[in-house]
Amino acid sequence: MCGIALLVSGIRICLSSLNLDSISSSSKSHLVFSVDDLKAALQRRGPDSLGTMKLLLPLHSNSSNSTNYRVSSFNEESHVLDNGSDMPESFAEFVFLGATLQLRGVSPVCQPLMDSSRNVLVYNGEIFGGIEVGIDKNDTESLMQSLGNCCSCRSQEHRTTCDFNGQAKGSIVDVLSVIKGPWAIIYWQESSKTLWFGRDAFGRRSLLVHWPTMEDPRFLLSSVSPTSSRLQDSSFEVENGSSGIKFWEELSCGIYSMSVDVKKSDGSFHSEIKKHEWTNAMLKELIEWERVSIEPKPAELNFSHSRTSSAELDINSSSSVLAQNVLTALRESMLRRISLYNIYQALKETVPVAVLFSGGLDSMIIAALLDQCLDPNYEIDLLNVSFDGESAPDRISAKIGLKELRRVAPLRRWRLVHIDADLSKLTWETKRVLSLINPANTYMDLNIGIALWLAARGEGWICKESNNETDEDKRVNYTSRARILLVGSGADEQCAGYGRHKTKYRHDSWLGLHKEMKLDMQRIWKRNLGRDDRCIADTGKEARFPFLDEDIIRTLLDIPLWEVADLDQPSGKGDKKILREVAHMLGLHNAAILPKRAIQFGSRIARESNRKNFGSNRAANQASAGSVVINVQSYFS
């Protein structure tokens, strides 16, 4: 969609039920964000529309001693109180912001939405299942209708205590628990005077939170960290993104509520934020990430080893059946993400979808499946970033991958977009990405963020139709206009693609490997997805993750671990074994044997960063540069 934000003031909020770490810090007083700051950050994403709605909750006394209060709602844009009285002195304020990048439906939609019951919704996400979205409808409109039919029950025990029990009215938690796809939401339910907010179970959409503190008692939510308008000098602009100041944090995945009441002793607004359990049993199983079979019997392992060592994949083998299951699930995942009836009609004259493309295993599988699912009349942009021209490993593998894609899909018009960058010349771009990755603050986060941001922006060059891809006379400047960017996130975590997986396997065998992969999946929202979503969305594109489809996660968990990966084999063979078999099935025989290479290394931004900030790769490795917190002053000196 694009981005959402909320600013709440005038309410005393209790956070005790969340078991948060201490959040009081005198340094937080240095940062003050306004509604205009939040709007500017969302506007930077290039939305089709950006709206703001203010909701005021005034106090009304029903008796002379002012001890009996009720809460009513007032929308600033209508300038009408629900009882027709003048504006009281004491009120709470909710400011909703919604930026919309229209990707679905026939008619344009502007957020925030308010329905006839005065419920308010801002939504940043896609609905690929769980809630019916008509062929000509928009996700946000469909979700608004479903939420409007929910009961007003605030209780965790909805099914046993709700006044609407037996009247076919579900709870807010029930509705959000069944959504398949990435989402972040802020929703005001007027009937219960309750604010609901949260993000999907895997954190595929960013949502940052500022919990109230002594220095800043406001409650804020935002898809992205803005730059404070009160700190306009260049040093503080950077410090908004990376310093000892921690204003924002990633909101943990889940569904939260904040019910507004009045404390009778002093007539002030107060509220407690609660986190709710998911009510979808299947989703809870995916969150727990428990695999059906973890440790093989000797006979099973010997059989798996013999198959991995064979040159050909027997189409009748059990391995082939498992790989076919994964391929089928991946194809369905792709269809859900790019079906043209789900794409906003106004976009159909352009290239609708691009791929973050290294030419490696994951991006090659995505590209090949995209070809099978996308109308053949459309071109496909393959976005490849390099900090070492044509010599970067990812550039080399991308050009080889392009040839393989042209072999398996000769009728498709493929467009490899060469995005070249020089780290020493990216001063303002780096400052911008520093703000985007916030609250992440390491050199590794920054390197990945810059590479993603440049790739997603899609500004580079392409080769004219020629048999010689290196002919510089054939270069033509080109900018991809695709609004949907397919990204391979989640493949390594689920299929043992990282080097640390092999290390864990060697030390602690299969159970240790399973625990490490489970840890990766349960923290991917914090370590990867929030950062990546913010960097990509800032370029006017929406990231979609085919490998993180709920049905893909379920399919891979149903496969024995030793069939997913065989880490006794060398890199490029046993790691992500099941995906390598899928690649063979797609005819991608060269891609099927490529070793894992992270974007910061394949693009060579890590090498350039190490030289700039540590003097050499060797010194950087000795300092464990990837996990070192960025020294802002020295970085720009």
Side-chain angles (χ1 to χ4, degrees), residues 358-367 491-492 495 547 572 575-584 586 588 590-597:
S358 67
L361 175 65
D362 307 335
S363 64
M364 285 289 286
I365 289 175
I366 288 176
D492 291 308
C495 300
F547 289 107
D575 53 316
K576 298 198 285 191
K577 181 180 75 168
I578 193 74
L579 293 184
R580 298 184 188 282
E581 293 172 356
V582 168
H584 278 299
L586 291 169
L588 306 174
N590 181 71
I593 60 174
L594 290 177
K596 159 71 180 176
R597 193 167 52 234

Side-chain angles (χ1 to χ4, degrees), residues 53-56 73-80 114 118:
M53 183 176 291
K54 184 181 290 185
L55 186 72
L56 299 178
S73 297
F74 167 71
N75 180 263
E76 188 181 64
E77 294 179 356
S78 67
H79 297 288
V80 177
M114 175 180 279
R118 304 177 76 176

Side-chain angles (χ1 to χ4, degrees), residues 154-187:
R154 303 174 182 178
S155 172
Q156 291 271 28
E157 303 298 327
H158 161 77
R159 287 174 175 77
T160 58
T161 65
C162 179
D163 293 338
F164 289 101
N165 195 36
Q167 299 182 33
K169 287 200 173 188
S171 69
I172 301 290
V173 177
D174 289 337
V175 171
L176 297 180
S177 292
V178 300
I179 295 176
K180 289 186 175 181
W183 56 266
I185 189 173
I186 303 169
Y187 178 69

Side-chain angles (χ1 to χ4, degrees), residues 103-118:
L103 295 174
R104 195 170 180 177
V106 175
S107 303
V109 174
C110 298
Q111 298 192 68
L113 297 184
M114 175 180 279
D115 64 14
S116 58
S117 299
R118 304 177 76 176

Side-chain angles (χ1 to χ4, degrees), residues 390-457:
E390 300 302 285
S391 300
D394 276 4
R395 178 62 54 80
I396 295 171
S397 60
K399 292 163 76 172
I400 295 172
L402 177 62
K403 292 180 180 179
E404 188 161 38
L405 288 172
R406 284 174 171 165
R407 177 180 59 78
V408 300
L411 299 181
R412 176 69 64 180
R413 290 173 293 168
W414 301 97
R415 184 185 282 131
L416 179 61
V417 184
H418 305 67
I419 301 163
D420 296 328
D422 182 344
L423 187 60
S424 65
K425 298 179 181 179
L426 298 178
T427 301
W428 79 265
E429 293 91 343
T430 299
K431 290 180 178 180
R432 183 157 177 165
V433 174
L434 270 169
S435 177
L436 293 172
I437 66 172
N438 183 25
N441 61 356
T442 69
Y443 284 101
M444 181 181 71
D445 290 311
L446 179 59
N447 291 338
I448 294 172
I450 292 173
L452 283 175
W453 186 82
L454 289 171
R457 193 170 59 163

